[in-house]
Structure formats: structure tokens, C-alpha cells
């Protein structure tokens, strides 16, 4: 038996997954599993936008007149070639002008969208929706491993070396679980070793945790990883400086109380809610640096096949702006971060996925913002992505086509999008897909999303 298949079967038996999944491994039976040698060569980077970004501003349905009727103040103007209007993609969609750095990726055919994806059922709680998306188990609130950790276990085994790297968050649920992962802090803090930089302090801590117990082993592994990562990033930063010169963190109850659908009553409450909705994720302004750190470490250690980044600040209940404003600023930083990722992850099998817990309301609210919605656009970037086009179902913004008359529907389970990526990037078979994405099903409407070879 192939070792990956053995690991997957053991994991399924441990979790009781075969007994609880609606379709078990058969849920994927209509999908053809590809050969390992042809496809099992890529790397996957996931970017989670915490706080529910407004996909209808990022991917503008400019040809839909309902869009402009629903958003008289915050709609992005239809493309006309000027700086304050959207960037035309095709006869249906255009990009927000702040996402201009990504337009070449569309033109090169390596950037694609699924415009209406999300959880299988609406969940307007940032915390619950994020958690359920990170563990790939909609409706579940109890502890479960993250789906990226599950994939890491399928790649290396629960006790194997780390194949996953997270940048920016202390303990993201998506990476939580039995498989070993590497985590580094955001921004310039990743280049520092903290108290470990002091030789005497470091040796004292290593002496304290010199035993064979699991805690001591984990500390030694983490300390070694932190030192190595900081040294690699410091070296990379020094080299970059030379080149430039040569060329001229349990959710508190207070946060849960802020997790509301409607617009907060005051500017102070709006700021507090946006911070809570970010759930510990850094502001998008630092995403490019975090992306560069991720690229450096995964380039230096080819055993790292899974990467995770996040960015907060997307809960735009008020004054989100249109072509300019707070949302435009965030989108600009996001575009620069994603463009950086594409520079570092452009090998044939590499795929970058950008997603958010849910979308925003199709109509603007009374404070020129948007509230918690449902369906949203997922982005995919990579040489295997059938880019320069969007994929899946799109039914427009007419009132009768909206979820509860207010939200973009989620025509596609986000896990079905991930299944396409995991199969094409890591050649996961049916049992392995069921282990990583329990309860999901293959969606044939997305079969053209990635190339088969």
C-alpha cells in the first residue's frame, strides 16, 4: 500500500470519518484521481482575508445594472480607461483599480476567479465562519484539526518533518493539529530571535528543557526553528540591502460581542469590531513583507510545500470608499502582497489561493459601507490555473437571485474549489481528499479550473 494512502486510512479510522461522512470516500468517486508522478510537484500558499472582504468591489460586475442600483455611492465605476474606473477583464467583470498589479497575471492566463463561492450555508459570525472554514467542517464548533494541517499530515505523517509554514499569526486554526508545522511572527519580528539571541539565556533554556518529554522536545524543535528562520531572513535582508545599494495570537467574550452583522453605532465601535473581526491577523499593509519572508523560507527549504498568510481589516461596515478610500488602500496592499507571492511561487505546480470567510451585502448600508454577507470571490494564481477567465456559476445581482434577497449566493462550496487544487497540486486520492475536506463533494462545474497536466 502506498504510504500516503496508509496514512490517510489510519487518520480516517482515528477520526471515525468514514462512519460520519455523508458519502465517505465515495463522495469523490466521480472525480478521476491523477497519477502521482505527473502532478505531485507543487506548492500551495493560502491567503485568508479575515473580516470578510468585499468581493463585489474587488471583482466588479460592471455589466450588471443592478450593481449600480444597489450601490449608488460605493460602486466602482465601469471601465473607461481612466484611473478612477475599474480595469476591464471581460464582458462581465473588471478589477478594482487598486488591484492593477494583478492585471498582468490575468493577461498572462495564470489568474482566475470563482466569483460565487463560500460555506455551504450562511454563517454571519466572523469567528464561527473563519473557524469552520479553517477546519473544513461547516457547522462544527468543537475542536478539530485544520485542513492545512491534515494535508501536511498526508504529506509527511503526523510525526514527520514540518512541510507547512505559517507567517504572521501565532496559532492559526488552519494549521492546528498533530502534524508538525513551522510558525514565524509577522513583519520584521520574524528576523529577530528574541531572548534566544543571548547565548547564556538560550543555553539556560535548553538546559531547562533537556529532557525527553514531549514538552522539552517541542521547545528544542521550536527554538531551533526560530533561530534558523531568523538567521535565514536576516541574511536575505542583508543581501537585499546590498543589491539595493548596488542598484542606487481562546477568543475573549468581548470580541464575540462585537461580532455583529449590522453597522456598529459609533466610529469607536466600528474600529473595535473591525479589529475583532481580524481575529489576530495583521493589517494588509505588511502583507508584502510577510509574503517575502514566506518565499525566502520555502525557497531555502524545499521540504516546505504548504504556506499560510492572513490579513485583517476587511470588515468595512462604514465609509469603505469606492475607487479610493480605506478598502482601496487594503486592496492595494493585498495586490502587492499577492504579486510578491507570484514572484516567489511561479514554478509549474505552484498555486496561490485567496479566500475569505464570507462576502458582504450586495447593497450598501446607510453609512456607505456593507454588512455581513454570504458568497464571495475566491482567487487562484498559478501556471496550472486556467486563468484569464472566471469559473463556476454566476447569476447576477437581481433581487430574485440573491440569498435572502440581500447577499451574493455561494453557488460553490469553497471546499470543492480546494479539492480541485489539492488533487491537481498534490495528486490526493479519494480517501485523502475525504480526510482533508470531510463531508465535501466533487463539483464537476469546476473541472476546468485547473489544467489536468
Amino acid at each position: 500500500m502506498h504510504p500516503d494512502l496508509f496514512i490517510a486510512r489510519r487518520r480516517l479510522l482515528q477520526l471515525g470519518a468514514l462512519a460520519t461522512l455523508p458519502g465517505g470516500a465515495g463522495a469523490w468517486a466521480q472525480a478521476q484521481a491523477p497519477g502521482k508522478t505527473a502532478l505531485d510537484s507543487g506548492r500551495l500558499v493560502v491567503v485568508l482575508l479575515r473580516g470578510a472582504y468585499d468581493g463585489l468591489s474587488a471583482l466588479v460586475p460592471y455589466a450588471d445594472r443592478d450593481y449600480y442600483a444597489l450601490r449608488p455611492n460605493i460602486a466602482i465605476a465601469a471601465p473607461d480607461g481612466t484611473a478612477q474606473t475599474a480595469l476591464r477583464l471581460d464582458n462581465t467583470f473588471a478589477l478594482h483599480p487598486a488591484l492593477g498589479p494583478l492585471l498582468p497575471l490575468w493577461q498572462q492566463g495564470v489568474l482566475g476567479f470563482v466569483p460565487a463561492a463560500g460555506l455551504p450555508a450562511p454563517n454571519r459570525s466572523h469567528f464561527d465562519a473563519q473557524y469552520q472554514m479553517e477546519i473544513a467542517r461547516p457547522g462544527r464548533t468543537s475542536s478539530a484539526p485544520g485542513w492545512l494541517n491534515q494535508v501536511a499530515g498526508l504529506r509527511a505523517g503526523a510525526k514527520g518533518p514540518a512541510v507547512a509554514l505559517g507567517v504572521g499569526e501565532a496559532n492559526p486554526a488552519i494549521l492546528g493539529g498533530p502534524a508538525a508545522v513551522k510558525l514565524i511572527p509577522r513583519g520584521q519580528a520574524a528576523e529577530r530571535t528574541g531572548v534566544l539571541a543571548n547565548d547564556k539565556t538560550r543555553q539556560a533554556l535548553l538546559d531547562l528543557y533537556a529532557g525527553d518529554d514531549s514538552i522539552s522536545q517541542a521547545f528544542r524543535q521550536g527554538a531551533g526553528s526560530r533561530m534558523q528562520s531568523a538567521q535565514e531572513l536576516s541574511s536575505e535582508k542583508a543581501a537585499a540591502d546590498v543589491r539595493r545599494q548596488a542598484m542606487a495570537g481562546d477568543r475573549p467574550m468581548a470580541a464575540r460581542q462585537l461580532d455583529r452583522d449590522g453597522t456598529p453605532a459609533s466610529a469607536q465601535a466600528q474600529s473595535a469590531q473591525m479589529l475583532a473581526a481580524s481575529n489576530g491577523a495583521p493589517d494588509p499593509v505588511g502583507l508584502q513583507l510577510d509574503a517575502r519572508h514566506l518565499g525566502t523560507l520555502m525557497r531555502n527549504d524545499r521540504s516546505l510545500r504548504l504556506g499560510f498568510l492572513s490579513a485583517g481589516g476587511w470588515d468595512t461596515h462604514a465609509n469603505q470608499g469606492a475607487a479610493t478610500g480605506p478598502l482601496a488602500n487594503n486592496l492595494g496592499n493585498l495586490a502587492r502582497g499577492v504579486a510578491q507571492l507570484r514572484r516567489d511561487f511561479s514554478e509549474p505546480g505552484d498555486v496561490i489561493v485567496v479566500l475569505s470567510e464570507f462576502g458582504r451585502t450586495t447593497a450598501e448600508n446607510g453609512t456607505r459601507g456593507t454588512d455581513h454577507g454570504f458568497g464571495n470571490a475566491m482567487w487562484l494564481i498559478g501556471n496550472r490555473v486556467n486563468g484569464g477567465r472566471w469559473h463556476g456559476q454566476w447569476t447576477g445581482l437581481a433581487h430574485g437571485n440573491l440569498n435572502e434577497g440581500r447577499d451574493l449566493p455561494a453557488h460553490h462550496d469553497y471546499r470543492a474549489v480546494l479539492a480541485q487544487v489539492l488533487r491537481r497540486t498534490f495528486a490526493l486520492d479519494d480517501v485523502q481528499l475525504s480526510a482533508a475536506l470531510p463531508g465535501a463533494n466533487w463539483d464537476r462545474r469546476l473541472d476546468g479550473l485547473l489544467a489536468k497536466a
Side-chain angles (χ1 to χ4, degrees):
M1 180 180 293
H2 191 280
D4 280 351
L5 185 58
F6 174 78
I7 292 167
R9 290 189 184 280
R10 182 180 64 186
R11 185 70 53 79
L12 286 170
L13 290 173
Q14 288 173 342
L15 297 176
L18 286 177
T20 58
L21 297 184
W28 311 102
Q30 57 184 319
Q32 182 178 357
K36 295 277 183 183
T37 56
L39 297 176
D40 189 17
S41 60
R43 297 173 294 177
L44 170 62
V45 176
V46 176
V47 182
L48 178 58
L49 306 182
R50 296 190 188 275
Y53 90 106
D54 183 22
L56 293 175
S57 287
L59 188 61
V60 181
Y62 73 94
D64 191 331
R65 59 186 178 185
D66 289 309
Y67 172 71
Y68 294 98
L70 289 163
R71 298 181 167 205
N73 297 292
I74 66 170
I76 312 303
D80 67 4
T82 63
Q84 297 299 310
T85 64
L87 306 171
R88 185 184 183 278
L89 299 178
D90 61 15
N91 292 332
T92 305
F93 291 107
L95 277 180
H96 191 290
L99 295 175
L102 303 183
L103 184 60
L105 302 183
W106 176 272
Q107 296 167 337
Q108 294 161 17
V110 297
L111 167 63
F113 296 94
V114 179
L119 292 165
N123 185 327
R124 303 188 198 282
S125 162
H126 291 292
F127 303 122
D128 291 342
Q130 287 176 29
Y131 180 68
Q132 290 167 20
M133 185 167 275
E134 290 180 83
I135 64 173
R137 290 166 171 82
R140 181 163 177 171
T141 57
S142 58
S143 179
W147 69 264
L148 266 181
N149 190 278
Q150 291 283 77
V151 175
L154 294 173
R155 303 305 311 158
K159 296 184 179 180
V163 298
L165 172 65
V167 178
E169 288 191 51
N171 294 293
I174 196 170
L175 288 173
V181 300
K182 293 180 68 173
L183 295 169
I184 65 170
R186 70 192 188 201
Q188 294 181 350
E191 301 167 10
R192 298 190 289 267
T193 56
V195 297
L196 296 175
N198 183 285
D199 292 339
K200 291 183 178 180
T201 302
R202 182 172 67 255
Q203 189 57 52
L205 288 169
L206 291 174
D207 290 343
L208 180 64
Y209 292 99
D212 293 329
D213 58 283
S214 58
I215 295 178
S216 296
Q217 293 174 5
F219 175 82
R220 292 197 301 272
Q221 179 182 4
S225 175
R226 178 68 184 272
M227 291 289 291
Q228 179 182 352
S229 297
Q231 290 166 1
E232 289 179 17
L233 294 175
S234 296
S235 298
E236 177 71 13
K237 182 176 184 294
D241 289 342
V242 171
R243 288 195 299 269
R244 283 194 295 271
Q245 291 171 4
M247 295 178 66
D250 288 334
R251 303 193 300 264
M253 182 57 66
R256 271 195 169 277
Q257 292 171 347
L258 289 168
D259 188 22
R260 296 178 297 189
D261 180 19
T263 308
S266 66
Q268 183 178 5
Q270 291 164 16
S271 178
Q273 177 156 325
M274 181 177 287
L275 181 63
S278 297
N279 211 4
D283 188 278
V285 72
L287 189 63
Q288 186 174 7
L289 179 58
D290 288 345
R292 189 179 298 122
H293 288 161
L294 185 80
T296 296
L297 295 175
M298 291 183 71
R299 182 173 61 250
N300 292 346
D301 184 353
R302 297 296 297 188
S303 67
L304 293 171
R305 303 280 299 281
L306 301 162
F308 175 71
L309 293 166
S310 63
W314 302 99
D315 196 26
T316 50
H317 284 283
N319 301 314
Q320 73 175 42
T324 60
L327 178 61
N329 293 337
N330 278 354
L331 290 174
N333 286 317
L334 174 63
R336 288 183 282 275
V338 172
Q340 176 67 46
L341 287 175
R342 172 60 186 174
R343 286 191 285 271
D344 288 327
F345 298 92
S346 57
E347 295 180 6
D350 295 344
V351 177
I352 302 161
V353 176
V354 181
L355 74 167
S356 195
E357 68 263 31
F358 45 73
R360 315 293 301 182
T361 47
T362 56
E364 65 181 65
N365 59 29
T367 56
R368 299 191 177 187
T370 50
D371 297 322
H372 300 180
F374 184 25
N376 208 348
M378 289 180 66
W379 313 3
L380 292 92
I381 302 103
N383 291 357
R384 284 196 182 133
V385 175
N386 284 324
R389 54 173 292 194
W390 52 273
H391 297 263
Q393 186 175 1
W394 171 259
T395 53
L397 303 180
H399 185 271
N401 294 333
L402 300 180
N403 171 68
E404 299 179 353
R406 55 171 271 171
D407 309 319
L408 185 68
H411 289 306
H412 303 277
D413 188 332
Y414 80 101
R415 296 172 300 173
V417 180
L418 296 176
Q420 294 276 345
V421 175
L422 293 176
R423 174 143 287 175
R424 300 301 173 198
T425 305
F426 298 124
L428 297 193
D429 58 34
D430 292 353
V431 174
Q432 292 170 322
L433 283 176
S434 291
L437 307 170
N441 294 285
W442 192 263
D443 188 341
R444 282 190 173 275
R445 298 171 296 171
L446 299 172
D447 279 354
L449 186 56
L450 285 89
K452 296 183 178 179

